[in-house]
Amino acid sequence: MFLPKRPRRLRQNASIRAMVGETHFSVAQLIQPVFICAGKSVEKSHPALPGCKTLSPDRAVAYAKEAYEAGLRCLLLFGVSDKKDARGSEALNPDSSLIHAIKDIRSKVPDLILASDIALDPYTDHGHDGLYESGKILNDATVEVLCEMSTLQAKAGVQIIAPSDMMDGRIGAVRRALDSNGFEDSLILAYTAKYASAFYGPFRDTLQSHVQGDKKSYQMNPQNRREALKELLLDVEEGADIVMVKPATLYLDIIREFADQCQVPVAAYHVSGECALLEAGAQAKLIDRERAIQESFDAIFRSGAQLIASYFALEWAKNKSK
Ligand code: PBG
């Protein structure tokens, strides 16, 4: 058969396929989330997701060294605490385990970039990301607390402040707070399109966070795309250095929109439930674990992400450097 165009010519062997592969990324584009708790020599993993680790500050330093040596350039830190109250007061404790871990990692692994999640949910007894009274989230009062939390973390050594709370106006307010405290070089990674998703389960287990009701009055409706673009315009205008879409694999259309429509790097959060489902699928022998992880990363990068936060980041980096 005479066929001048045969797409399969470009797929006929591994060398040609490697030459015409369209999506490439480096380990420096992967970010590993890590949870910090109190104590010494504590190291726990989520039972359904070994890459989701809770570490005491001493173990966090060792982990940070390992991550840097494997080629990762950034950890995304979260506090885990049993000190919970209505106002999430522990978020502003300058003596918390999280703050200690930040200082220790900063001094011992100076080239590793630290990002820190800014929201109150690890520390509130109602489990919400903001201040919550009579069944309502108090937007503006929450933003004030988040500004203090951001400044405290920047002081301790965090270079990337990552507000995940979805309050209105928080990016501009945090930018102003950072600048007025001398942290004009601190970056803001905004969780710009964060959806009210069913895929945050293992994360909330890790925080021991039990939400009263749901987060739908601040996190976005999974049905909405145009609204994500509105959030994007606002966050970029308010000074976000990096914008994030979360979760990742069900929201590739949103990642693509962001990549096409803005001039700042786009990150995607491959969240705990997405990662745990891959683990469970592999356990059940339904999928090949490594290939499924690689395909997930390829798809997220292909859709336009520049950075991925994933519980598989360190594992991928280590396999790569073998
Ligand atoms: C909340 C926050 C959540 C995640 C990151 N920050 C959960 C939530 O909104 O309830 C989820 C991350 C994951 O599932 O891995 N501040």
Side-chain angles (χ1 to χ4, degrees), residues 78 117-119 121-122 129 164-165 191 194 199-201 203-204 211 215 219 246 269-273 311:
F78 295 85
D117 187 269
I118 302 294
D121 57 324
D129 291 20
S164 71
D165 55 290
Y191 285 67
K194 174 174 177 181
F199 290 83
Y200 303 147
F203 174 95
R204 290 187 191 168
V211 190
K215 300 190 179 183
Q219 299 182 350
K246 173 183 169 190
Y269 199 144
H270 191 216
V271 300
S272 58
Y311 299 89

Side-chain angles (χ1 to χ4, degrees), residues 84-101:
K84 297 185 196 287
D85 62 22
R87 298 187 58 81
S89 318
E90 182 67 6
L92 300 182
N93 177 5
D95 204 27
S96 70
S97 305
L98 176 63
I99 296 294
H100 283 289

Side-chain angles (χ1 to χ4, degrees), residues 160-237:
I160 302 184
I161 296 295
S164 71
D165 55 290
M166 291 299 281
M167 295 301 120
D168 292 335
R170 84 251 196 249
I171 300 303
V174 166
R175 185 70 271 160
R176 196 178 282 269
L178 289 170
D179 282 28
S180 63
N181 283 284
F183 297 110
E184 59 278 346
D185 288 337
S186 304
L187 285 85
I188 297 180
L189 187 171
Y191 285 67
T192 296
K194 174 174 177 181
Y195 287 88
S197 170
F199 290 83
Y200 303 147
F203 174 95
R204 290 187 191 168
D205 293 346
T206 302
L207 293 191
Q208 289 166 323
S209 175
H210 309 288
V211 190
Q212 273 178 29
D214 58 49
K215 300 190 179 183
K216 292 180 184 168
S217 79
Y218 45 109
Q219 299 182 350
M220 285 181 46
N221 180 344
Q223 297 174 331
N224 293 356
R225 182 183 63 89
R226 287 184 339 122
E227 190 184 1
L229 298 177
K230 178 166 83 181
E231 290 284 4
L232 176 66
L233 284 177
L234 288 171
D235 282 359
V236 169
E237 195 167 285

Side-chain angles (χ1 to χ4, degrees), residues 70-91:
L72 293 185
R73 291 296 172 261
C74 182
L75 298 182
L76 174 58
L77 303 178
F78 295 85
V80 174
S81 177
D82 49 17
K83 293 182 194 156
K84 297 185 196 287
D85 62 22
R87 298 187 58 81
S89 318
E90 182 67 6

Side-chain angles (χ1 to χ4, degrees), residues 8-319:
R8 288 187 51 220
R9 276 199 287 265
L10 290 171
R11 299 180 210 134
Q12 63 185 287
N13 63 48
S15 298
I16 294 180
R17 288 194 293 273
M19 288 167 69
V20 297
E22 297 176 43
T23 302
H24 304 280
F25 59 93
S26 79
V27 287
Q29 290 172 266
L30 298 177
I31 298 172
Q32 174 74 41
V34 187
F35 298 82
I36 307 292
C37 66
K40 237 183 138 48
S41 307
V42 183
E43 174 159 358
K44 288 184 279 192
S45 297
H46 190 283
L49 186 56
C52 177
K53 294 225 179 295
T54 303
L55 307 170
S56 53
D58 56 324
R59 286 296 173 94
V61 171
Y63 186 90
K65 281 188 187 145
E66 190 186 339
Y68 189 78
E69 277 160 21
L72 293 185
R73 291 296 172 261
C74 182
L75 298 182
L76 174 58
L77 303 178
F78 295 85
V80 174
S81 177
D82 49 17
K83 293 182 194 156
K84 297 185 196 287
D85 62 22
R87 298 187 58 81
S89 318
E90 182 67 6
L92 300 182
N93 177 5
D95 204 27
S96 70
S97 305
L98 176 63
I99 296 294
H100 283 289
I102 292 166
K103 289 181 178 163
D104 292 351
I105 298 172
R106 170 92 357 274
S107 70
K108 307 227 167 78
V109 198
D111 294 326
L112 184 68
I113 302 294
L114 295 181
S116 184
D117 187 269
I118 302 294
L120 300 181
D121 57 324
Y123 311 110
T124 53
D125 51 14
H126 43 70
H128 283 288
D129 291 20
L131 301 173
Y132 185 66
E133 274 175 27
S134 321
K136 276 199 144 179
I137 294 288
L138 309 178
N139 189 91
D140 299 10
T142 299
V143 170
E144 279 178 38
V145 182
L146 297 175
C147 286
E148 275 184 67
M149 187 177 177
S150 301
T151 307
L152 176 71
Q153 303 217 3
K155 262 187 200 140
V158 164
Q159 299 103 323
I160 302 184
I161 296 295
S164 71
D165 55 290
M166 291 299 281
M167 295 301 120
D168 292 335
R170 84 251 196 249
I171 300 303
V174 166
R175 185 70 271 160
R176 196 178 282 269
L178 289 170
D179 282 28
S180 63
N181 283 284
F183 297 110
E184 59 278 346
D185 288 337
S186 304
L187 285 85
I188 297 180
L189 187 171
Y191 285 67
T192 296
K194 174 174 177 181
Y195 287 88
S197 170
F199 290 83
Y200 303 147
F203 174 95
R204 290 187 191 168
D205 293 346
T206 302
L207 293 191
Q208 289 166 323
S209 175
H210 309 288
V211 190
Q212 273 178 29
D214 58 49
K215 300 190 179 183
K216 292 180 184 168
S217 79
Y218 45 109
Q219 299 182 350
M220 285 181 46
N221 180 344
Q223 297 174 331
N224 293 356
R225 182 183 63 89
R226 287 184 339 122
E227 190 184 1
L229 298 177
K230 178 166 83 181
E231 290 284 4
L232 176 66
L233 284 177
L234 288 171
D235 282 359
V236 169
E237 195 167 285
E238 290 176 33
D241 298 286
I242 303 172
V243 292
M244 185 147 77
V245 175
K246 173 183 169 190
T249 48
L250 289 176
Y251 295 85
L252 297 179
D253 58 326
I254 308 297
I255 296 173
R256 169 51 56 200
E257 290 275 9
F258 276 28
D260 287 347
Q261 305 225 10
C262 74
Q263 282 72 45
V264 302
V266 177
Y269 199 144
H270 191 216
V271 300
S272 58
E274 297 176 277
C275 295
L277 280 186
L278 292 187
E279 294 283 8
Q283 278 280 323
K285 301 208 175 353
L286 295 171
I287 54 171
D288 178 304
R289 187 175 177 283
E290 309 251 306
R291 283 186 56 205
I293 293 170
Q294 181 67 41
E295 186 174 334
S296 303
F297 285 178
D298 283 339
I300 300 166
F301 282 123
R302 188 196 64 231
S303 69
Q306 166 73 23
L307 296 164
I308 300 179
S310 171
Y311 299 89
F312 298 128
L314 179 55
E315 173 185 326
W316 194 93
K318 281 184 178 167
N319 287 341

